[in-house]
Amino acid sequence: SDTIDLVIRMVDYISRIKARRLELGYSQYKVAELSGITQPFYNEIERGTKKPSLEVFFRICDVLKIPVMGGEQSEQDELP
């Protein structure tokens, strides 16, 4: 189902957000602030010890310019 696919994608993206953040030269604090969450919570998301809500996940992806919707992969989907 679409929900299961989205959850699988979310887990995959969470494993790559740190690389994207560093690629953009953003601090954890900047991503957290722009995403509307605290830096400690963002740090836990990045380390994989906490899972964000879908709303927070979408906001983080928006801040990091990571597309999450649509079936076609873009260049940004090719992150390490």
Side-chain angles (χ1 to χ4, degrees), residues 35-74:
S35 300
I37 59 175
T38 65
Q39 184 276 330
F41 181 52
Y42 177 80
N43 179 269
E44 290 180 296
I45 292 168
E46 205 172 81
R47 288 192 341 242
T49 58
K50 293 266 174 108
K51 299 288 185 257
S53 67
L54 283 176
E55 179 183 346
V56 169
F57 167 70
F58 286 132
R59 289 195 313 242
I60 291 170
C61 288
D62 186 52
V63 168
L64 295 175
K65 303 172 181 74
I66 299 172
V68 292
M69 301 307 275
E72 304 219 3
Q73 282 195 328
S74 72

Side-chain angles (χ1 to χ4, degrees), residues 17-27 30-31 60-66 76 79:
I17 61 171
K18 181 177 182 178
R20 180 63 174 165
R21 176 179 63 78
L22 295 173
E23 180 182 303
L24 293 171
Y26 290 177
S27 67
K30 179 176 181 172
V31 176
I60 291 170
C61 288
D62 186 52
V63 168
L64 295 175
K65 303 172 181 74
I66 299 172
Q76 289 180 325
L79 299 175

